[in-house]
């Protein structure tokens, strides 16, 4: 049996394991206003002007941020309801990617999620079963580090004992791919329809 090409695959979540990004937009945002009657532009501009980025690295609480937005804009919904809609609507597992994960597992490769998600979404990812496919989940909110900070990759190396070209990041963000390569890892830029190319890159194209 041929030895695996990599010892560790670090999988990005949104846009890779979870097919919830279309043309750079999260799918929950495209249906939010129609389904809830709440203003998506207002929520988006409030959260994604720096506040969510703080939550992403554990410096703010997402429930508190959404609760503050709701209070400021007279929204008659609790933060939990808005966040539940967000997370549930964005649950779109990419079965083709997950099939490659299973092939990697059968080949003896360690698989982890390496995501820039805050703590509540990281918990949700595990609760939805994605964690069952993985050795563990590394999330920015838990680590207090986010890609493309090179310290993010060093943290994973220190935790698992694999580094350099034994590790590959699979990510849909070009800046994260570049950062992983700068750190010394291999990396694959994930784009729609690239599953066959990804399997070939991982040395798993013949394993079904």
């Amino acid at each position: 049996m041929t030895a695996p090409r990599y010892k560790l695959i670090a999988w990005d979540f949104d846009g890779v394991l979870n097919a919830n990004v279309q043309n750079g937009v999260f799918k929950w945002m495209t249906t939010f206003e129609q389904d809830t009657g709440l203003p998506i532009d207002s929520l988006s501009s409030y959260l994604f002007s720096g506040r969510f980025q703080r939550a992403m690295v554990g410096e703010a609480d997402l429930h508190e941020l959404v609760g503050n937005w709701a209070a400021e804009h007279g929204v008659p919904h609790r933060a939990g309801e808005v966040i539940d809609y967000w997370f549930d609507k964005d649950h779109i597992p990419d079965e083709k990617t997950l099939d490659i994960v299973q092939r990697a597992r059968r080949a003896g490769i360690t698989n982890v999620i390496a995501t820039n998600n805050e703590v509540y979404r990281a918990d949700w990812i595990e609760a939805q079963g994605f964690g069952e496919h993985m050795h563990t989940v590394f999330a920015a909110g838990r680590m207090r580090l986010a890609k493309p900070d090179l310290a993010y990759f060093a943290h994973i190396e220190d935790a698992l004992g694999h580094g350099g070209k034994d590790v590959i990041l699979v990510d849909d963000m070009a800046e994260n791919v570049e950062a992983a390569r700068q750190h010394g890892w291999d990396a694959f830029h994930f784009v729609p329809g690239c599953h066959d190319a990804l399997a070939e890159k991982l040395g798993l194209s013949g394993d079904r």
Side-chain angles (χ1 to χ4, degrees):
M1 179 180 291
T2 304
R5 187 169 297 172
Y6 300 98
K7 293 181 179 178
L8 170 66
I9 305 173
W11 299 88
D12 182 39
F13 183 70
D14 293 307
V16 175
L17 295 172
N18 195 41
N20 62 330
V21 181
Q22 187 171 17
N23 298 322
V25 179
F26 291 109
K27 290 189 176 180
W28 74 272
M29 299 179 72
T30 66
T31 56
F32 180 79
E33 192 157 340
Q34 177 182 340
D35 289 346
T36 68
L38 303 177
I40 185 59
D41 287 346
S42 170
L43 176 59
S44 178
S45 61
Y46 182 87
L47 273 184
F48 301 120
S49 58
R51 293 179 176 89
F52 179 78
Q53 288 81 351
R54 292 182 59 242
M56 186 173 71
V57 293
E59 296 175 357
D61 185 285
L62 183 62
H63 276 259
E64 290 181 6
L65 292 176
V66 175
N68 291 341
W69 166 79
E72 286 184 18
H73 293 83
V75 174
H77 292 69
R78 289 180 292 183
E81 294 175 296
V82 174
I83 292 171
D84 285 347
Y85 174 88
W86 170 355
F87 291 1
D88 291 342
K89 198 71 175 181
D90 250 21
H91 177 58
I92 312 172
D94 188 321
E95 298 299 339
K96 290 183 178 180
T97 307
L98 290 173
D99 176 68
I100 296 172
V101 173
Q102 292 306 313
R103 287 187 248 167
R105 290 182 58 172
R106 290 195 296 269
I109 303 169
T110 299
N111 295 268
V112 301
I113 290 176
T115 178
N116 274 359
N117 268 298
E118 52 75 52
V119 292
Y120 293 112
R121 189 103 188 286
D123 291 345
W124 177 89
I125 288 168
E126 291 175 330
Q128 291 300 316
F130 285 99
E132 295 175 4
H133 299 281
M134 300 288 157
H135 178 76
T136 192
V137 175
F138 291 96
R142 296 171 176 173
M143 298 160 62
R144 294 181 174 266
L145 290 165
K147 297 173 288 186
D149 189 332
L150 299 189
Y152 184 100
F153 308 108
H155 178 102
I156 294 175
E157 283 187 352
D158 291 344
L160 299 179
H162 295 305
K165 297 301 183 182
D166 287 336
V167 184
I168 184 170
L169 173 73
V170 180
D171 202 296
D172 65 332
M173 301 295 290
E175 59 264 38
N176 296 336
V177 168
E178 258 327 291
R181 289 172 178 159
Q182 183 181 347
H183 185 69
W185 292 7
D186 203 350
F188 182 90
H189 188 195
F190 189 95
V191 296
C194 72
H195 299 90
D196 288 346
L198 172 60
E200 183 175 355
K201 172 71 173 176
L202 298 175
L204 299 169
S205 55
D207 180 16
R208 294 284 181 178

